[in-house]
Amino acid sequence: MRFTWFLFLLLFVPLFCFGGTLRGRLTDENGQGLPFASIYIKETSSGTATNENGYYQLQLDSGSYTLEFKYVGYKAKTQVVKINGHPVELNVQLFPEVLNLKEVVVHASDEDPAYPIMRNAIRLRKYHLSEALAWSARVYMKSVARMDKVPSKVLGVRVVDVDTGIVYLSESISQLHVKRPNKINEKVISSRVSGQKKGFSFNQASEMNVSFYENLLKIEGLNERGFVSPLANNALFYYRYQYLGAFEENGRTINKIKVMPRRRNDPVFEGIVYIVDGTWRIHSTDLKLTKRAGIEFVDFIRVRQVYAPVLEHVWMPVSQKFTFEAAGLGFKGRGYVTGVYSNYKVQAAYKKPPVLEEVEPEPEETIVATAQTPKPAPKPRFKIIEPEKADPQDKPIHSEKLFTKEILLIEEDANKRDSLYWDRIRPTPLTKEESKDYVKKDKLEAIKESKVYQDSLDRIRNKPTFGNLFLSGYTYRNSYEDNYLRFDPIISPTSNSILQYNTVEGVVADVRVTYGRRYDDRRRFIVEPTVRYGFSNEKFNAKLRTAYVYNTTTNSIVQLEGGRYVNQININEPILPFVNSAYTLVAGKNYMKLYQRDFIRLAHRGELSNGLQLTANLEYAHRMPMENTTYYSFKGTDPEGVSSFTSNVPVSAELPNANFNPHEVLMASFSLSIKPGQRYISRPNQKINLDSKYPTISLAYRTGLKILGGDIQYSTAALGVSDDLSFGLLGRSSYNAAAGVFWNKESMTLMDYRHFKGNRTIFAGAYDGFQLLDYYRYSTNNNYLEAHYEHHFNGFLFNKIPLFRKLKLQEVVSLNYLNTQQSRNYLELGVGIEHIFKVLRVDFVTSFQEGEKARTGVTIGLGF
């Protein structure tokens, strides 16, 4: 019986599904397809967009519909169509807008008519920004990237598995919910990536929710400062406007305004914005950012938007498109991201729109008019008649339970939809090229996932080069098994090196090999053996670390490590082996101080709940002192045969003799960090933590236990706070501060003290540390306070200087403060230039001790 019903449903139910497909093509006056034009359905507050060739399609229930066809720069057309269960074809031709210039008498002293229009739009900006108290929509997004030119090699590295044509194609369907002022929820229902059946698109409708009613637009990845909107409160300082005319659309007058930068290199848009006369809202935009505006990575990006009334006095975007082109390192490509909004549900913030009322101008200073200088007409004044606010509880469209810190959820089966599903739900038809790309890459995917194909690529990728052997490190991959072997570089200025030199061990061979394996559910397993041999002290050391990431949602990892190894006495390891080797050999300065330990350590880190992370360590170690065994340097000795090297025992202001005897230590430590309000993205088997408007607060505790043979006993705790702050065009700041105490100090060595990130070299130390502070002098086991602050102006000042602007240099200032029992008030002030050759940073730093100037220095580091 059930089988009979199944056949009935399968064969006959479609006959009762009254509805049909509306498809067609939108063309211009020459019969050419209009790409990404907007089609809006008034009855359903939804719509679609044409593809690159001007074709469109819609799935509609039976009934009569009023469709509005729009394309920026063309006169809109309205058509009524009836759907009765059969496919309907409707081709529409649009013609360029016919602009009518207002009849105005323009004197030499008068301004362009565009200015009063834009002033009115700016006056009502905040109302239009917030006219929808809450809204939801279904958003279709498509991302396409094409490569037009691909080099055979980049910086000597062979380019493999990259061809010209479409290199990335993805589609997604999301349900987007927004509530003013800052609540957002997005659920990705469907996701498709060409050639990646198991992959999920990185399309994010909430990131595309760009509004020119905002004063400053932040477009992720393009610029650190943001871009000033043509409707911003301070837009007249950044923009010039030109009135190009007006046209009529559905009984409304639409003004066409040309937008131009006042200064060549300001972070602003250029192009066209259309403003509705009377309500002074955005009708549509066609704006572009270029290199002059300070964008990175691409040559230009073009933003086209089309708005439509979804309620009588609430307009929302029905389509948006971002187009870009980029070239560099021999590559040349282009692409776009488009979004189509449909099924709007809107809760209005006001019962009616605001009104601008002209009032009598204020009395001005009397000006005597002459034939040469006619008296200018007084500028009109306006007041805003604020609309009555709607009751927030009147027909709310969202439940408060909808909005949590999870701003994006990708459903587990989002990538399991078949092609029939996409053909039915896709509002914008694919082009022939895109359809072929899906078919081609879906067929190729099975080949590319085969062992034969991946092994062939690995044979090319795994070929060693001078760069990866000596500078970046060499990785041997087995793509089919999804594992790898990684070897440290022989010499590296930014990471651990195989070849090192210090006065304790002499020439050192420190060989670390990392084996990693990733599983289909994103779990990871790591085994990392390290062997180390000092040719001067003739001592062999070895250790083994294993790590297992067992929960990728909470990023939980457990580690077990043990063996015999040589470590820096300063647990922060503030000086890199390469830097110490260079200074030891060239300058005769042995800043790195070492000790040896036999140890076993168990560690665990994981997120207990959103924004709350716990790290725990338990270690048992036998610690042994080490002495200098060589005094060789290129510099040699002075005429009296005395070396400039210092003892391996650091100089400490709080510890007259920092030497120690071999001893045992049992140490436990816990660190709890809290980031209130942390937002996040949920993907299958993955959680991506994002920002928060609150700082991160951390609490750390460490103790030495005199049990199980331990000789060390003490306790210390520290409270820390850190955050990154954005100041828009003024740049961004970062800060971190910590205060700590010690108690129960029965027995300690210098290794147990609180150490700070110091630096005594020309190579910049960690920028969240000190640049001129000694590595050990002010290490403490008493109360302490340290703070670090940096502000990156992101070119706010240097953009005014032509040479600096052309070189894309950016300015940065820093402040570092330390207070301990011996350092008292120690302060560092620094000014620097970053983005030198795009990667370097140079700082001039001055330190002060109790208000007295102590040291000055120049440091060189990385500053992207």
Side-chain angles (χ1 to χ4, degrees):
M1 188 66 179
R2 291 180 180 176
F3 182 72
T4 306
W5 273 108
F6 174 77
L7 287 179
F8 176 83
L9 293 170
L10 182 65
L11 296 174
F12 296 102
V13 166
L15 300 179
F16 297 94
C17 295
F18 299 104
T21 301
L22 173 67
R23 60 168 57 93
R25 194 183 190 204
L26 216 59
T27 57
D28 63 11
E29 70 278 14
N30 299 316
Q32 300 297 314
L34 289 172
F36 307 104
S38 173
I39 300 101
Y40 178 65
I41 309 168
K42 293 185 177 180
E43 287 79 4
T44 62
S45 297
S46 60
T48 185
T50 61
N51 65 16
E52 287 185 86
N53 300 322
Y55 291 98
Y56 73 95
Q57 68 180 27
L58 283 164
Q59 297 291 333
L60 297 171
D61 294 332
S62 292
S64 181
Y65 298 93
T66 305
L67 276 71
E68 189 174 37
F69 298 86
K70 288 185 176 183
Y71 190 74
V72 175
Y74 283 72
K75 188 176 181 180
K77 182 176 287 189
T78 301
Q79 294 268 149
V80 177
V81 64
K82 291 185 178 180
I83 303 297
N84 56 9
H86 301 289
V88 176
E89 184 172 342
L90 177 62
N91 297 316
V92 176
Q93 189 173 32
L94 299 184
F95 294 90
E97 58 202 13
V98 179
L99 298 176
N100 301 311
L101 292 173
K102 291 183 178 180
E103 295 183 4
V104 292
V105 178
V106 180
H107 299 285
S109 60
D110 287 347
E111 64 182 2
D112 191 284
Y115 284 88
I117 294 172
M118 293 305 297
R119 284 196 187 95
N120 288 340
I122 292 169
R123 288 184 182 106
L124 295 180
R125 175 196 66 82
K126 68 175 184 177
Y127 295 96
H128 294 145
L129 176 65
S130 59
E131 64 185 359
L133 181 65
W135 60 273
S136 65
R138 176 162 287 195
V139 185
Y140 166 79
M141 288 186 65
K142 181 166 69 174
S143 301
V144 179
R146 291 183 176 86
M147 200 64 70
D148 298 320
K149 183 180 178 183
V150 177
S152 58
K153 291 184 178 181
V154 174
L155 301 177
V157 179
R158 188 187 302 274
V159 177
V160 296
D161 204 25
V162 179
D163 204 351
T164 55
I166 295 178
V167 293
Y168 182 77
L169 167 62
S170 73
E171 299 174 277
S172 66
I173 300 286
S174 298
Q175 191 66 33
L176 183 62
H177 305 275
V178 177
K179 185 173 182 179
R180 297 287 304 167
N182 54 11
K183 293 182 178 180
I184 194 163
N185 174 276
E186 180 180 355
K187 180 184 289 186
V188 177
I189 303 167
S190 314
S191 175
R192 188 182 186 187
V193 182
S194 182
Q196 300 179 36
K197 290 183 179 179
K198 295 181 181 180
F200 293 95
S201 168
F202 283 96
N203 294 341
Q204 192 172 333
S206 50
E207 281 192 349
M208 202 181 187
N209 191 32
V210 172
S211 174
F212 285 98
Y213 292 123
E214 297 280 0
N215 283 320
L216 195 67
L217 283 80
K218 288 277 192 178
I219 303 178
E220 193 69 28
L222 286 183
N223 166 289
E224 294 174 330
R225 300 168 60 195
F227 306 95
V228 180
S229 167
L231 276 73
N233 289 338
N234 59 346
L236 292 173
F237 178 75
Y238 288 94
Y239 287 97
R240 292 185 295 112
Y241 306 103
Q242 182 182 354
Y243 179 73
L244 299 180
F247 60 91
E248 297 296 316
E249 182 181 290
N250 298 326
R252 304 181 184 94
T253 300
I254 313 300
N255 298 293
K256 184 177 183 180
I257 309 295
K258 186 177 182 180
V259 172
M260 299 163 287
R262 280 197 178 274
R263 290 165 294 276
R264 181 178 173 86
N265 295 95
D266 278 347
V268 295
F269 296 84
E270 53 188 271
I272 305 295
V273 61
Y274 295 83
I275 302 294
V276 182
D277 205 77
T279 59
W280 315 112
R281 64 170 69 253
I282 296 174
H283 168 274
S284 52
T285 66
D286 188 359
L287 297 168
K288 187 163 71 171
L289 292 168
T290 65
K291 287 285 190 183
R292 294 195 301 270
I295 60 175
E296 303 284 350
F297 309 116
V298 295
D299 296 329
F300 77 84
I301 185 165
R302 185 179 180 185
V303 184
R304 284 181 281 187
Q305 295 179 317
V306 175
Y307 283 73
V310 295
L311 291 178
E312 184 180 354
H313 58 275
V314 178
W315 289 45
M316 301 295 290
V318 292
S319 67
Q320 296 192 87
K321 185 190 177 188
F322 295 78
T323 310
F324 62 89
E325 287 186 8
L329 297 175
F331 292 94
K332 187 174 182 181
R334 55 196 166 92
Y336 68 84
V337 180
T338 184
V340 178
Y341 298 76
S342 61
N343 301 331
Y344 267 113
K345 292 181 181 179
V346 177
Q347 182 182 0
Y350 309 105
K351 292 185 177 181
K352 59 181 181 179
V355 177
L356 275 180
E357 185 177 89
E358 187 173 338
V359 297
E360 288 294 328
E362 292 181 345
E364 296 183 0
E365 182 183 353
T366 301
I367 300 176
V368 179
T370 66
Q372 289 76 26
T373 59
K375 183 179 179 180
K379 293 180 180 178
R381 294 176 62 245
F382 295 88
K383 72 174 183 180
I384 299 174
I385 301 177
E386 298 203 13
E388 183 182 354
K389 291 185 177 181
D391 185 352
Q393 302 304 318
D394 183 25
K395 297 180 181 179
I397 63 171
H398 295 140
S399 167
E400 280 297 321
K401 294 180 180 179
L402 178 67
F403 299 102
T404 64
K405 299 308 176 184
E406 182 185 58
I407 65 169
L408 173 65
L409 168 67
I410 300 179
E411 293 188 344
E412 185 118 13
D413 58 349
N415 61 352
K416 294 179 172 61
R417 318 290 187 183
D418 59 20
S419 58
L420 292 177
Y421 166 88
W422 283 102
D423 291 340
R424 184 176 69 255
I425 202 169
R426 180 188 293 118
T428 301
L430 298 175
T431 64
K432 290 182 179 179
E433 182 189 16
E434 291 165 353
S435 296
K436 289 180 180 178
D437 189 75
Y438 271 128
V439 174
K440 174 186 173 183
K441 288 183 179 174
D442 285 348
K443 289 180 178 179
L444 285 176
E445 185 179 16
I447 298 174
K448 289 186 174 182
E449 288 184 348
S450 69
K451 188 175 187 304
V452 173
Y453 181 84
Q454 294 195 27
D455 286 351
S456 66
L457 285 182
D458 285 343
R459 280 193 292 271
I460 300 173
R461 294 175 179 147
N462 291 336
K463 287 183 178 179
T465 65
F466 176 86
N468 59 36
L469 286 176
F470 282 85
L471 300 175
S472 62
Y474 172 71
T475 301
Y476 180 89
R477 294 189 179 277
N478 185 327
S479 300
Y480 185 75
E481 299 290 342
D482 206 355
N483 57 46
Y484 65 90
L485 281 173
R486 174 173 173 78
F487 300 83
D488 285 339
I490 295 175
I491 298 174
S492 173
T494 59
S495 64
N496 193 62
S497 304
I498 292 177
L499 283 182
Q500 306 172 21
Y501 181 78
N502 61 69
T503 55
V504 173
E505 302 168 285
V507 176
V508 177
D510 190 359
V511 181
R512 179 173 61 183
V513 182
T514 304
Y515 169 80
R517 172 85 184 261
R518 193 173 79 162
Y519 301 93
D520 290 341
D521 58 2
R522 305 185 69 88
R523 289 179 298 117
R524 301 188 304 278
F525 179 68
I526 295 171
V527 178
E528 191 177 83
T530 305
V531 294
R532 180 183 182 105
Y533 183 75
F535 287 88
S536 178
N537 69 346
E538 298 180 345
K539 286 190 176 182
F540 178 83
N541 296 274
K543 65 176 181 175
L544 177 68
R545 181 178 76 94
T546 60
Y548 178 48
V549 180
Y550 64 90
N551 188 323
T552 55
T553 301
T554 59
N555 197 28
S556 296
I557 180 173
V558 60
Q559 298 185 69
L560 180 63
E561 184 179 15
R564 169 175 288 188
Y565 201 65
V566 174
N567 297 94
Q568 294 189 45
I569 292 176
N570 186 330
I571 195 173
N572 296 309
E573 298 188 342
I575 184 167
L576 287 168
F578 172 83
V579 175
N580 181 73
S581 300
Y583 264 77
T584 303
L585 288 170
V586 177
K589 302 290 185 181
N590 56 329
Y591 291 125
M592 184 182 286
K593 307 302 180 184
L594 304 168
Y595 76 100
Q596 185 173 286
R597 64 172 180 155
D598 300 336
F599 73 103
I600 184 169
R601 182 176 69 93
L602 178 65
H604 182 273
R605 185 190 69 226
E607 197 174 42
L608 302 179
S609 63
N610 182 51
L612 180 63
Q613 182 168 283
L614 174 66
T615 301
N617 288 272
L618 182 64
E619 178 179 321
Y620 187 86
H622 174 66
R623 302 193 297 205
M624 297 160 283
M626 303 184 77
E627 298 179 348
N628 291 337
T629 61
T630 180
Y631 297 91
Y632 175 79
S633 71
F634 300 155
K635 181 181 178 182
T637 58
D638 64 19
E640 298 181 1
V642 178
S643 170
S644 59
F645 291 130
T646 59
S647 165
N648 188 52
V649 179
V651 174
S652 170
E654 291 188 15
L655 196 60
N657 183 3
N659 207 350
F660 65 92
N661 295 318
H663 61 274
E664 319 297 322
V665 59
L666 177 62
M667 184 173 60
S669 63
F670 305 91
S671 176
L672 191 69
S673 67
I674 306 169
K675 193 170 185 65
Q678 176 180 270
R679 304 187 305 163
Y680 64 94
I681 295 172
S682 292
R683 297 169 66 90
N685 299 315
Q686 187 182 20
K687 178 173 180 276
I688 303 172
N689 292 327
L690 302 175
D691 59 351
S692 167
K693 64 180 180 180
Y694 301 104
T696 299
I697 301 171
S698 61
L699 178 64
Y701 172 76
R702 175 165 49 96
T703 183
L705 303 170
K706 263 195 174 180
I707 58 174
L708 301 177
D711 300 316
I712 301 299
Q713 182 172 317
Y714 69 95
S715 294
T716 179
L719 181 67
V721 60
S722 62
D723 201 5
D724 293 310
L725 305 172
S726 175
F727 294 95
L729 296 179
L730 292 175
R732 59 183 175 86
S733 291
S734 62
Y735 71 85
N736 71 84
V741 296
F742 281 81
W743 71 93
N744 192 27
K745 301 178 289 184
E746 184 174 319
S747 57
M748 298 180 68
T749 65
L750 185 60
M751 283 84 74
D752 305 305
Y753 279 41
R754 165 67 179 189
H755 299 284
F756 306 100
K757 296 178 182 178
N759 183 47
R760 294 293 305 277
T761 74
I762 195 173
F763 301 104
Y767 287 116
D768 60 346
F770 299 90
Q771 299 303 319
L772 301 178
L773 187 71
D774 188 90
Y775 301 108
Y776 298 99
R777 183 175 297 276
Y778 297 123
S779 297
T780 184
N781 68 346
N782 291 290
N783 299 349
Y784 62 89
L785 172 66
E786 70 168 316
H788 308 276
Y789 175 81
E790 271 194 341
H791 184 75
H792 302 260
F793 286 93
N794 297 335
F796 178 76
L797 301 174
F798 282 3
N799 275 354
K800 313 297 187 294
I801 305 172
L803 178 60
F804 287 3
R805 183 175 62 235
K806 187 173 183 179
L807 295 174
K808 295 188 176 181
L809 303 180
Q810 297 185 4
E811 58 277 34
V812 59
V813 296
S814 61
L815 180 152
N816 302 306
Y817 174 79
L818 177 66
N819 185 285
T820 70
Q821 186 182 79
Q822 293 296 322
S823 71
R824 301 296 182 183
N825 294 300
Y826 175 85
L827 178 67
E828 291 181 356
L829 298 176
V831 294
I833 301 175
E834 55 186 351
H835 289 201
I836 302 171
F837 305 118
K838 294 188 177 181
V839 296
L840 295 180
R841 169 175 166 176
V842 176
D843 289 82
F844 177 78
V845 187
T846 302
S847 64
F848 300 87
Q849 195 101 31
E850 286 291 287
E852 298 292 329
K853 187 175 180 180
R855 292 183 60 207
T856 59
V858 175
T859 62
I860 302 172
L862 297 178
F864 297 97

